[in-house]
Amino acid sequence: MLNLYVFPPSPRAFKVLAVANHLGLNYQKHIVDLSKGEQRQPQFAALNPNQRMPVLEEDGYVLWEANAIMQYLADKKPEGKLLPTESRARLDVTRWQFWDLAHWDSACAIFIFERLVKKLLNIGDVDPAEIAKGEERFHRSAAVLDAQLKGRKYVAGNELTLADFSLGAPLNVAGPAQIPFAKYAEIKRWHAGLSELPAWRQSIAFPAPA
């Protein structure tokens, strides 16, 4: 049995669930409630010593890190074409997943932490200095992504891939987190299209931004 340990409001959990749902995989969902500190419980820490979700477990095999989990899921259904089998096409998708971790996710995460997580966990007020840092990082990265999307339906071309799930996930909470992507027309067009996917709608735990 494929087991996914997730906290659905999190974009990092969302991207894993959305891929699993898009591929039609059978899985058991286990909620790790971060607001209750369940990620620090010994039984979960035994799965991921980083005490973070999501985590995948199947037949004794344990995998953490959302983008790695997504690749594992995609490999289970290669006919879904979310991770191409041809080397250069596969590396193009992987490149954007790496870029996500190095630039995009870290920028979006500042807004999500300051404006959503702090409120959820009641751990203090929004830090203006952090928001300013997030804005600088976000606009630098958003310009790159917006340019990449020009003339393309999806990030890696005209086919939906893991790159779209990785990069689109944080924008699901762009409204409440006030992620400033409104001026990026290509990103808005692309994310609106993703939001219409049945698996996207099925997996979302927050309303899509207006």
Side-chain angles (χ1 to χ4, degrees):
M1 170 61 72
L2 177 64
N3 295 285
L4 297 176
Y5 294 81
V6 294
F7 184 55
S10 165
R12 292 165 187 166
F14 166 84
K15 61 175 97 173
V16 167
L17 293 172
V19 167
N21 290 331
H22 180 80
L23 294 172
L25 299 174
N26 292 320
Y27 63 90
Q28 181 69 43
K29 181 166 63 178
H30 305 269
I31 303 299
V32 182
D33 193 334
L34 305 187
S35 68
K36 297 178 180 177
E38 291 179 357
Q39 73 276 17
R40 294 188 291 272
Q41 295 298 315
Q43 59 269 31
F44 183 76
L47 292 173
N48 185 357
N50 298 295
Q51 300 180 15
R52 292 173 179 262
M53 61 85 237
V55 173
L56 174 149
E57 186 278 327
E58 185 175 37
D59 300 328
Y61 175 71
V62 177
L63 183 65
W64 30 267
E65 291 300 322
N67 285 349
I69 293 171
M70 293 165 69
Q71 292 199 7
Y72 181 91
L73 297 176
D75 278 340
K76 293 177 76 68
K77 279 278 188 79
E79 64 272 24
K81 299 182 179 179
L82 292 185
L83 189 60
T85 54
E86 191 275 323
S87 178
R88 290 187 177 183
R90 187 182 184 100
L91 286 170
D92 191 33
V93 173
T94 301
R95 175 256 303 274
W96 283 104
Q97 288 194 287
F98 287 172
W99 183 83
D100 170 43
L101 298 180
H103 303 284
W104 184 250
D105 179 86
S106 60
C108 294
I110 293 175
F111 300 104
I112 294 169
F113 178 76
E114 290 294 326
R115 292 174 172 152
L116 289 180
V117 176
K118 280 187 171 181
K119 183 181 295 185
L120 176 68
L121 301 182
N122 192 26
I123 54 174
D125 298 325
V126 173
D127 184 341
E130 284 296 302
I131 294 297
K133 181 170 70 175
E135 288 177 346
E136 190 277 329
R137 291 182 179 179
F138 178 82
H139 289 301
R140 179 160 22 106
S141 298
V144 173
L145 181 57
D146 205 62
Q148 172 66 15
L149 286 165
K150 190 171 184 179
R152 297 178 176 88
K153 185 175 181 180
Y154 298 111
V155 172
N158 290 316
E159 298 292 334
L160 181 71
T161 69
L162 294 183
D164 301 290
F165 287 91
S166 290
L167 298 169
L171 297 182
N172 292 339
V173 294
Q178 299 174 50
I179 298 175
F181 82 113
K183 74 175 186 177
Y184 298 100
E186 297 296 334
I187 295 177
K188 287 182 66 178
R189 181 264 309 164
W190 162 74
H191 187 258
L194 294 178
S195 298
E196 294 301 316
L197 295 170
W200 205 275
R201 291 178 173 273
Q202 178 185 352
S203 309
I204 203 163
F206 280 102

